[in-house]
Amino acid sequence: MRADPATEAAWRLFSIRLVVAAALLMVGVLTLALAVDPYDTGRPRLLARDGVRPQGPRTAAASRGRDPAFTAAIIGNSHIQLVAPANLRAATGIPFVQLSVPGTGPGEQLLVADYFLRHHPRAQALVIAADSFWCTGDPALPPAQPFPTWLLAEDWATYLRGLLRLRVMDETVNRIGWAMQATPRRATPDGYWDYEPNYLTLGDPDMPERIAARSRPAPGDPDPGQGGPDFPAAARLRALVERLPSDTALVLVFPPVFAPTQARPGTPRAAAARACRAALTAAVAPRGRVVDWSGDRPELHEPRLFFDASHYRKPLARLLEAEIAAALRDAGAGGADAPRP
């Protein structure tokens, strides 16, 4: 039984109109998001408000990473998060921004570094923290958690595709409301995020059972995929170093790890960790300075300086900052008359 020609024509017209309406809606939504610039990427925008409303560093990094008020950056994850950019500035005279993003690995962190350097071609300094995640053997350097790579993309096509997300639409509306306020509350411009209050809400970190939990010895074998002999992140780091301006100081940091959880000498895990650090150190040679807190230091045996095996507390962060500042001065950053702690 054939359908009535008039009915077929009506459905065909309806389908065309539906497709056209959907296309127009998509274009309209995309145009609004592009104009509003919900994450302050500096792309064409109608709302001339610097910064973003309070939010996580995954999305705030786009705004902070292009801020001309800063000429140096700290790159990493929560293992370098407690290093305060204001303290490095006080010690060196260099305005630092904290661009660490918790839960990220070398792939995302190198992307953040690229983004910062793209917006700061004459950056004064770069501090990069390389933890055990940098020892992966996967050349793709895949993210362990979702990460908005599109937000930091250089090409327009990737950025525009990224705007077509429901959460971006939500943030577009949020930004409009935020920007219309007379004095909107802004996410911390220098990116510092003190994680200590978060840990303290979990209870007393120095209870015997919690100290025992963070003192469990590491296994003898390396984690899956981290045994070497190849460490692709080192090659990617070397490529970044080769693109750095000659007067940009570089410091590679191996963050503190609680001594009881470090790889035991003589084990395959210790050999793999040593090979990884050697590859990363070679990647920044000869210009990069290295601050290594991954080994055996007295402070690393003190349980009250840690919340868990790899998240340390402020007294240890202050010591780490002092060594980073010294390495920067040794590299000629900040000048000979830079303030000293």
Side-chain angles (χ1 to χ4, degrees):
M1 178 178 177
R2 293 191 60 188
D4 179 65
T7 301
E8 285 187 348
W11 275 109
R12 188 178 302 111
L13 181 60
F14 171 77
S15 299
I16 293 173
R17 287 175 175 173
L18 183 63
V19 171
V20 171
L24 290 175
L25 177 62
M26 184 182 72
V27 171
V29 166
L30 187 61
T31 301
L32 177 64
L34 185 61
V36 171
D37 190 16
Y39 299 107
D40 189 34
T41 65
R43 310 262 183 175
R45 58 181 182 168
L46 294 177
L47 300 178
R49 280 280 193 184
D50 291 327
V52 291
R53 69 183 187 89
Q55 58 193 263
R58 272 175 168 72
T59 48
S63 176
R64 291 170 177 149
R66 72 177 194 88
D67 192 335
F70 305 104
T71 60
I74 306 164
I75 308 293
N77 55 26
S78 58
H79 295 150
I80 195 70
Q81 177 180 329
L82 213 56
V83 168
N87 291 344
L88 289 187
R89 180 172 190 164
T92 66
I94 302 172
F96 270 88
V97 62
Q98 176 59 272
L99 294 179
S100 64
V101 181
T104 58
E108 306 96 287
Q109 293 161 28
L110 289 168
L111 181 66
V112 172
D114 276 329
Y115 180 84
F116 176 78
L117 293 171
R118 199 158 70 237
H119 290 277
H120 298 81
R122 304 304 302 177
Q124 286 183 272
L126 204 60
V127 175
I128 299 178
D131 57 12
S132 61
F133 295 124
W134 282 66
C135 299
T136 176
D138 189 339
L141 304 183
Q145 301 179 24
F147 187 83
T149 56
W150 64 270
L151 190 56
L152 308 181
E154 185 173 10
D155 65 288
W156 275 91
T158 301
Y159 177 69
L160 291 176
R161 285 196 301 271
L163 287 178
L164 294 173
R165 286 170 164 78
L166 286 177
R167 62 178 177 273
V168 172
M169 295 303 103
D170 289 340
E171 190 57 36
T172 297
V173 174
N174 290 335
R175 184 166 178 82
I176 292 174
W178 176 83
M180 292 179 69
Q181 299 176 32
T183 55
R185 181 170 169 245
R186 180 179 173 181
T188 307
D190 73 0
Y192 183 62
W193 176 13
D194 178 5
Y195 60 56
E196 286 203 348
N198 301 85
Y199 273 99
L200 292 174
T201 60
L202 302 175
D204 181 5
D206 297 320
M207 292 186 296
E209 55 269 31
R210 294 189 66 181
I211 291 179
R214 62 177 176 263
S215 300
R216 294 191 184 97
D221 292 326
D223 291 336
Q226 293 189 359
D230 296 323
F231 302 100
R236 292 273 297 277
L237 177 60
R238 181 181 294 279
L240 175 73
V241 172
E242 291 173 349
R243 297 196 303 272
L244 285 179
S246 58
D247 55 352
T248 299
L250 174 65
V251 176
L252 177 66
V253 178
F254 295 117
V257 178
F258 190 34
T261 66
Q262 293 180 17
R264 299 186 301 278
T267 62
R269 188 182 188 90
R274 187 168 55 252
C276 177
R277 288 195 300 272
L280 292 167
T281 299
V284 301
R287 57 173 299 174
R289 302 301 192 271
V290 176
V291 173
D292 190 353
W293 270 81
S294 66
D296 188 16
R297 299 192 185 205
E299 297 88 350
L300 301 182
H301 292 266
E302 175 51 64
R304 294 181 183 274
L305 291 178
F306 288 84
F307 284 108
D308 58 31
S310 59
H311 292 93
Y312 43 91
R313 304 192 209 180
K314 288 179 182 175
L316 203 51
R318 301 296 85 87
L319 295 176
L320 182 58
E321 289 164 359
E323 286 204 20
I324 293 172
L328 288 166
R329 289 192 295 267
D330 184 58
D337 57 347
R340 295 174 183 269

